[in-house]
Structures are given as C-alpha cells and as structure tokens.
C-alpha cells in the first residue's frame, strides 16, 4: 500500500516572518508523505526551509510561456523545487471561473513539467441533495481524462473535497467518504488498471480531532488540509494520525 499523503493548503495566507515559524515547525513524519502548498511568493522560502516535506503550489497556469501576464507556469514551479500542485480546487472553480476543461489543461501542464498534480473534485450541497454527487465527480474526472489520456491517470493524486464540507467546521461522514472514494477508485480502475492505485485524499474540515477517524475510513489515502494546516501543532497531529492509520 502506498504511503498516505497529507497536504496542507495555506490558501491566501502567509507573511515572511510568520512563515519562518510555521515552516520550521512542520517536519517529516515516518511512514507519511507530507506536502505544504503555499502562495507563489513563498515557494522559495518553503523550499529552502522545509526538511523532508515537499513544497507545493495551489494552482498553475495552463500555459508554458509567453504573453500571459500574471501567470505562473508549471516549469517555473518545478524550477523553484515544487513537487506537488493542487488543480481544480473548488475555490478556483467557483471564484476564478475554472471550468472542467481548464482543470484538465492545468493538469496536463503540471504533468508536462514533471509535477505531481492533486486534482480536486467534489459536489455542491445541492448536487449531493439531488443524488448527483458521484455523477458530478465523474464528470470532473472525465474532463481531465479527455485531456491527459488514460495512461497518465496513474500519475495523479485525486482529492475528494465535497464543497459543502470545505471550511465548514464539519467534515463529511465516514460512510459518505467511503462510498465516494470507492466510486472514484472504480472509475479510475475502469479506465486504466494502474490508475486504480492512485491516492485518493479526502478534504473538507479535517482537524486534529477527527483525522484519526477519517484516515481510518476504507479507501482514504490521506488528506488535503486547509485551515488546520496554518497551525503547526494541529497540522502535525493530522500527519501523525495518518501515520497511525498507515500502521506506521
Ligand atoms: C481546502 O481548502 O481544501 C480545505 C479542505 O479546507 P478546510 O480544511 O479548511 O476545510
């Protein structure tokens, strides 16, 4: 079984001096892969400061170079020592107009540069209540597949993040997560046998006090952690919970 992967997503937070303390307090945890996705301006700081923890970014341009003012390419991220990049976070989809096809092109750009994309998928509350959660997630994954092709699916990590659980203070239920992760894994495996072993993370209000239960859920290969990744003790507790769930 692959090691669990725990990824912090700082979102639009950080400041050079405070980052020093936070980055310095985040360390490697045996048996778990840990990554921290910081805002672009702090990537070099994170790469220099982190030990045994991978630096990552929160989005990436679909373009490689040229007249695209304000964009940051996957190659630039790789140049800065980035290993992971989050693509298709629901905040990018909802607030910055990223549609399914854009997420697919960004995923392709990340792969082209040798980065490991963490593709976020997840339904809204209305979609869940309409019984369409899996259909929505499959549509989001399908758009990525259409652009990268089945053989590349195995190079992804997928983060299932129900939109209604992000920043809500209340995670999805273990049974809801188990079902969705099983559905995602089935979908991946049907497209490419190797993709059945892709890590499927859960994200949405993972905290120090619920991480153990969430990571023990069948098919949960780690977590994408927003708010709690800004508090070093909480983030490290979550990473240790993943190690326990891994049997490390
Ligand atoms: C996220 O930003 O991806 C996230 C899961 O946030 P939070 O942990 O704060 O719900």
């Amino acid at each position: 079984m692959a090691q669990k992967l725990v990824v912090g997503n700082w979102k639009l937070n950080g400041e050079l001096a405070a980052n020093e303390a936070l980055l310095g307090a985040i360390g490697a945890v045996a048996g778990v892969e840990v990554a921290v996705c910081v805002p672009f301006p702090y990537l070099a700081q994170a790469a220099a400061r982190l030990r045994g923890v991978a630096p990552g970014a929160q989005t990436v341009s679909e373009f490689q170079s040229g007249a695209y003012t304000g964009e940051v390419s996957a190659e630039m991220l790789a140049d800065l020592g980035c290993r992971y990049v989050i693509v298709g976070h629901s905040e990018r989809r909802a607030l910055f107009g990223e549609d399914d096809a854009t997420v697919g092109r960004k995923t392709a750009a990340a792969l082209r540069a040798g980065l490991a994309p963490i593709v976020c998928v997840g339904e809204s509350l209305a979609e869940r209540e309409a019984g369409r959660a899996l259909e929505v997630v499959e549509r989001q994954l399908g758009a990525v597949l259409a652009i990268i092709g089945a053989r590349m699916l195995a190079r992804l990590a997928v983060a299932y993040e129900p939109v209604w659980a992000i920043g809500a203070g209340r995670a999805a239920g273990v049974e809801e997560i188990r079902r969705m992760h099983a559905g995602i894994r089935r979908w991946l495996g049907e497209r490419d046998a190797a993709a059945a072993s892709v890590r499927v993370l859960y994200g949405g209000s993972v905290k120090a006090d619920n991480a153990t239960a969430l990571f023990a859920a069948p098919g949960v290969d780690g977590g994408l952690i927003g708010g709690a990744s800004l508090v070093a003790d909480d983030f490290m507790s979550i990473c240790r919970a993943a190690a326990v769930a891994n049997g490390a």
Side-chain angles (χ1 to χ4, degrees):
M1 190 179 64
Q3 285 190 335
K4 283 200 179 1
L5 170 63
V6 179
V7 182
N9 173 16
W10 285 12
K11 311 195 188 200
L12 185 54
N13 294 291
E15 183 261 320
L16 275 178
N19 296 350
E20 280 297 302
L22 181 50
L23 292 167
I26 295 171
V29 172
V32 179
E33 212 175 319
V34 180
V36 183
C37 296
V38 302
F40 292 140
Y42 302 133
L43 266 172
Q45 184 188 23
R49 195 79 170 85
L50 290 169
R51 294 280 172 272
V53 173
Q58 301 169 17
T59 185
V60 64
S61 177
E62 62 186 270
F63 303 110
Q64 188 164 0
S65 63
Y68 301 105
T69 302
E71 291 287 87
V72 175
S73 73
E75 286 71 15
M76 291 172 185
L77 296 180
D79 205 16
L80 279 166
C82 232
R83 159 124 189 75
Y84 288 98
V85 60
I86 298 170
V87 288
H89 191 283
S90 62
E91 289 154 14
R92 303 285 327 162
R93 293 178 189 262
L95 304 174
F96 300 97
E98 292 189 11
D99 61 13
D100 291 342
T102 306
V103 175
R105 290 192 296 273
K106 289 185 174 217
T107 304
L111 291 170
R112 182 189 66 216
L115 301 176
I118 300 164
V119 178
C120 296
V121 294
E123 80 287 358
S124 67
L125 188 57
E127 289 163 339
R128 173 155 287 270
E129 287 174 349
R132 296 182 47 233
L134 184 58
E135 174 196 325
V136 168
V137 165
E138 290 185 346
R139 187 204 72 220
Q140 292 168 334
L141 288 172
V144 173
L145 168 70
I147 292 173
I148 68 170
R151 260 185 344 102
M152 298 302 265
L153 285 175
R155 295 193 30 201
L156 310 179
V158 173
Y160 169 54
E161 297 209 305
V163 178
W164 44 274
I166 296 177
R170 195 166 160 186
V174 165
E175 181 55 19
E176 286 166 321
I177 298 170
R178 186 197 66 73
R179 277 181 194 227
M180 181 59 82
H181 282 224
I184 291 171
R185 193 170 303 289
R186 190 178 333 110
W187 187 95
L188 289 166
E190 284 169 3
R191 267 107 200 132
D192 181 67
S197 47
V198 150
R199 283 183 289 195
V200 184
L201 316 182
Y202 168 75
S205 297
V206 179
K207 304 290 176 200
D209 61 3
N210 64 11
T212 303
L214 293 170
F215 292 156
V220 175
D221 303 315
L224 181 52
I225 319 299
S229 71
L230 296 169
V231 180
D233 285 351
D234 289 356
F235 187 61
M236 293 315 297
S237 294
I238 291 169
C239 294
R240 283 191 294 272
V244 171
N246 238 1

